[in-house]
Amino acid sequence: MTEDDAGDGDGPSDASSNDAPPKYESGEPTTEDEAVSTETAEDETPTTAVDASGTPATVAVEDVTVADFYGALEAEGRPVVTAQQAARRLGLSQATASEALDALAADGPLQRVDVSTDPVVYYPSEWGRLADRERIVLFPERREIVVDQPTQYTRARLAQFAHLVDSTGDRNAGTRGYLYKIRQEDVWQAPFEDLDALLSMMRSVLPRRSPHLETWVENQWKRANQFRLYTHEDDYVVLEGASESLMGNVARQKLDEEHLVAPISDTESWVRDGKEAHIKRILYEAGYPVKDNRDLESGAPLDVELRVELRDYQRDWVDRFIDQKAGVLVGPPGAGKTVTGIGVLAAVGGETLVLVPSRELAAQWREEILRHTSLTEDQIGEYHGGEKRVRPVTIATYQTAGMDRHRSLFDDREWGLIVYDEVHHVPSRIYRRSADLQAKHRLGLSATPIREDDKEREIFTLIGPPIGTDWSKLFEAGYVQEPEVEIRYVPWADDTARNEWASADGRERHQLASMNPQKIAETRRLLRQHPESKALVFVDYLDQGEAMAEALDVPFVSGEMRHRHRERLFRQFRDGERRTLVISRVGDEGIDLPNAELAVVASGLGGSRRQGAQRAGRTMRPAGGALVYVLATRGTSEEDFAQRQMRHLAEKGVRVTESDLTT
């Protein structure tokens, strides 16, 4: 039986759908800007040797040098070539080229491989000696980047403008490769003030400049500024296009009278009240993210004094939010996003609604606001299944606030700021209604604004553009402890367990691999290796959690446990009265367990990247060691799931190692 954390009526209800395997993009984009290639055909022109009369020159075999071969590789744009390809680039007959390359291979500078039914291919012997070094290959036409053995520096910088699609191979064998793709939304959401800063970052990490790729990036950057919403002097909202053509051929073709009241000019239209979110979503899907320049409501005034000293990067986050009035704060766990959100609350100075996915988070927000501001108990209310009080600062669960019978309480109040904690939930059916409150300052918070259903783009569309910093900078400055992450491939406990798995199929087979009894023994061994570390053991199956807890003689915290009992165990863990807890998905996000030093992930549903990062994030705090072990049964689907779970951390520059316990 899988964990069901909906017992309180306030937890996320879309976890299963959001943990589906990721959908990879296929085919080439079809937008007008992408259909036109601006790269010249220089690299496609054969370099043919000719004499003064234009007749192909005769080249002796011994005259073909290693430098000539490297020139052919560069012209071909590939790491290996056939004799036919080399002949075309060198202006030789295929027979002559083949003889010359065989001679170089015999002398040692080249290697040749017979790839079965394909022709023989040649490559520099140096390639083999470089196997343990970083190599970056750019495919500008596909906007893909392949990196072998990437350094942390490279991964951290690629994360600023590209999306990690996949990682394959065996890191310990030196064959781990990373595949990145630059998508439209990666350019639109890149955390740079201007295009030059983005291009500079790209040039600092890519092996060569590509006019084709840079032109495409420039086009996408411009698309993100083709439409804007602004407030007219008569206090209604206007949609403005950068040109008459864009307004007529894009906006007015995609939108109708449900969204637009009437044209104001050739480039402007009057927006129907309350339809801003719909317009943003429709134009975003058409390839044109909308810039929001409206005068947002500040709400009823609220006098708040901030009683905590913000770090430099937190002050920068607050300043950037106040300047743009809407955005999603993206930073690693432990970076102080909640405190930064409280800083924004004080800076806006208006009544505030904080939306959270669970009652535990509501209680934590209340405690943090009381600790770090001048607000009093009677100025802060909670609204969820256990308490229903609306106050100048109200903390409500998404689920309760979205119910029709409660919704008017939140829609009608003059909030100046809406805070969406764990904002990655917003695209789901239950939570997205809260994003229709477009007239307010909107602040999203999340370490992992990623979804396995590919809807993360809606987070930035409905809430605002990303605000954040490079994770590696916070690691290097010591603000957040970079975790040491290791995937451990464990053997089956015995032949009986393995045979049961082999005879099963589908979901049952994955569950049996997840609940491999050998994981209990391995977890016990890890806890013995780190006897002084406060540890969290994560599971996704109730039966496994109960068996693990019994074997370790520690409590199992799940959604079936009463809220009061759960909170007592969490408090005991925070206070040091308990050193180990087995915990279900109820501990994946938001729960404040700041001094966990060791995380053991015994099972995870579907390889969700967000879940993997959230669980590792339980250990990411300013001080002390941070160890994360992910257990996967060797030879099963868990191998792929474990690698997928850690992909978001790898994308952010965190080192993920692997070890095989079956050998």
Side-chain angles (χ1 to χ4, degrees), residues 371-616:
R371 180 182 303 123
H372 297 306
T373 73
S374 58
L375 293 174
T376 60
E377 290 272 3
D378 60 352
Q379 291 178 292
I380 305 172
E382 294 183 42
Y383 204 98
H384 47 66
E387 181 180 339
K388 291 182 174 62
R389 291 197 310 157
V390 176
R391 293 292 186 269
V393 174
T394 300
I395 308 157
T397 57
Y398 285 102
Q399 200 163 13
T400 302
M403 294 179 180
D404 290 336
R405 64 179 181 274
H406 303 300
R407 185 171 173 80
S408 61
L409 290 172
F410 302 103
D411 289 355
D412 296 342
R413 195 170 182 109
E414 294 185 5
W415 307 109
L417 171 68
I418 312 290
V419 179
Y420 300 84
D421 199 6
E422 306 294 352
V423 71
H424 44 262
H425 290 297
V426 162
S428 64
R429 180 180 54 82
I430 289 178
Y431 300 143
R432 74 186 301 166
R433 291 182 61 184
S434 62
D436 290 337
L437 299 170
Q438 288 285 304
K440 322 295 183 183
H441 291 77
R442 301 177 307 283
L443 173 66
L445 304 177
S446 180
T448 52
I450 51 175
R451 293 176 61 91
E452 304 308 318
D453 58 7
D454 291 338
K455 290 184 178 179
E456 61 260 29
R457 63 176 59 185
E458 292 195 21
I459 299 169
F460 303 111
T461 305
L462 299 173
I463 307 303
I467 301 170
T469 191
D470 187 344
W471 285 34
S472 63
K473 290 181 180 178
L474 300 186
F475 293 151
E476 292 165 5
Y479 287 124
V480 179
Q481 178 69 35
E482 179 183 356
E484 296 179 24
V485 182
E486 180 181 335
I487 301 175
R488 290 196 163 195
Y489 301 112
V490 301
W492 286 101
D494 50 46
D495 289 342
T496 300
R498 190 188 186 286
N499 291 337
E500 185 180 2
W501 167 82
S503 62
D505 54 24
R507 188 183 185 92
E508 182 185 2
R509 180 177 253 212
H510 176 65
Q511 182 174 343
L512 290 170
S514 297
M515 297 176 63
N516 177 4
Q518 185 63 28
K519 293 184 178 182
I520 295 178
E522 181 61 22
T523 300
R524 186 186 290 115
R525 191 165 74 86
L526 289 170
L527 294 177
R528 282 200 304 264
Q529 285 180 354
H530 307 282
E532 302 302 319
S533 298
K534 297 182 67 174
L536 296 173
V537 180
F538 289 96
V539 298
D540 266 76
Y541 296 93
L542 294 177
D543 293 345
Q544 182 187 26
E546 291 165 358
M548 184 78 74
E550 181 178 358
L552 301 177
D553 193 24
V554 298
F556 173 41
V557 182
S558 73
E560 292 193 340
M561 180 179 286
R562 293 180 65 85
H563 172 77
R564 188 173 301 174
H565 189 192
R566 288 205 310 254
E567 187 51 45
R568 182 169 67 252
L569 289 172
F570 289 149
R571 185 171 58 253
Q572 290 173 349
F573 185 87
R574 286 191 287 266
D575 295 342
E577 298 174 30
R578 293 188 179 275
R579 302 200 65 80
T580 304
L581 292 175
V582 177
I583 191 167
S584 69
R585 279 187 289 141
V586 75
D588 282 0
E589 64 183 14
I591 303 304
D592 185 21
L593 300 172
N595 45 4
E597 300 154 316
L598 172 66
V600 179
V601 181
S603 60
L605 285 176
S608 163
R609 293 167 295 160
R610 190 182 76 230
Q611 185 187 60
Q614 286 167 335
R615 289 178 168 182

Side-chain angles (χ1 to χ4, degrees), residues 203 214 291 295 297 540 618:
R203 292 165 186 165
E214 292 191 1
K291 193 170 183 177
D295 298 329
E297 299 171 6
D540 266 76
R618 299 304 102 210

Side-chain angles (χ1 to χ4, degrees), residues 125-368:
S125 299
E126 186 181 8
W127 278 186
R129 293 190 291 273
L130 292 176
D132 59 347
R133 292 167 54 186
E134 176 182 84
R135 298 182 303 282
I136 304 175
V137 181
L138 172 66
F139 298 91
E141 295 286 344
R142 300 200 299 268
R143 301 185 304 282
E144 290 180 347
I145 305 158
V146 176
V147 191
D148 288 334
Q149 303 300 306
T151 64
Q152 184 175 5
Y153 172 93
T154 297
R155 283 181 287 153
R157 277 146 185 79
L158 285 170
Q160 303 294 301
F161 61 86
H163 169 68
L164 180 61
V165 175
D166 197 9
S167 58
T168 58
D170 186 340
R171 178 186 298 277
N172 293 331
T175 60
R176 169 68 77 196
Y178 289 75
L179 172 62
Y180 291 84
K181 188 173 183 67
I182 305 175
R183 306 167 300 179
Q184 284 181 307
E185 56 264 38
D186 296 321
V187 177
W188 299 339
Q189 298 160 12
F192 300 97
E193 296 294 330
D194 52 53
L195 175 62
D196 287 342
L198 170 57
L199 293 177
S200 177
M201 173 62 75
M202 292 175 58
R203 292 165 186 165
S204 74
V205 69
L206 296 181
R208 60 187 173 88
R209 290 183 60 174
S210 166
H212 172 78
L213 178 61
E214 292 191 1
T215 299
W216 181 85
V217 168
E218 181 178 1
N219 288 337
Q220 298 312 312
W221 184 274
K222 290 178 180 178
R223 289 175 81 100
N225 295 280
Q226 297 299 299
F227 289 98
R228 74 179 184 114
L229 292 169
Y230 74 89
T231 303
H232 193 272
E233 60 183 12
D234 293 331
D235 205 32
Y236 58 84
V237 177
V238 176
L239 174 66
E240 180 183 37
S243 67
E244 179 181 348
S245 174
L246 277 168
M247 178 57 71
N249 296 331
V250 178
R252 289 172 184 159
Q253 292 295 320
K254 299 289 183 180
L255 306 170
D256 54 31
E257 62 274 8
E258 178 186 350
H259 310 101
L260 303 176
V261 177
I264 300 174
S265 70
D266 290 338
T267 59
E268 297 169 304
S269 287
W270 181 356
V271 172
R272 195 170 296 281
D273 188 39
K275 293 300 179 180
E276 294 87 355
H278 298 263
I279 290 172
K280 287 182 178 182
R281 189 179 293 121
I282 291 169
L283 291 181
Y284 194 104
E285 291 172 354
Y288 293 91
V290 178
K291 193 170 183 177
D292 197 337
N293 294 144
R294 290 173 296 151
D295 298 329
L296 301 181
E297 299 171 6
S298 296
L302 182 65
D303 186 18
V304 184
E305 177 188 344
L306 192 63
R307 293 178 175 173
V308 61
E309 184 68 26
L310 297 179
R311 298 166 180 166
D312 290 343
Y313 68 86
Q314 292 171 327
R315 282 195 297 271
D316 177 61
W317 287 346
V318 173
D319 292 342
R320 288 171 62 187
F321 177 84
I322 295 302
D323 179 58
Q324 62 192 46
K325 303 175 184 177
V328 176
L329 184 55
V330 180
K337 293 184 293 298
T338 300
V339 171
T340 305
I342 294 171
V344 169
L345 185 158
V348 171
E351 293 195 352
T352 297
L353 173 63
V354 181
L355 295 171
V356 297
S358 68
R359 290 167 59 181
E360 283 89 356
L361 263 176
Q364 287 176 196
W365 265 92
R366 182 186 184 89
E367 292 173 6
E368 291 292 296

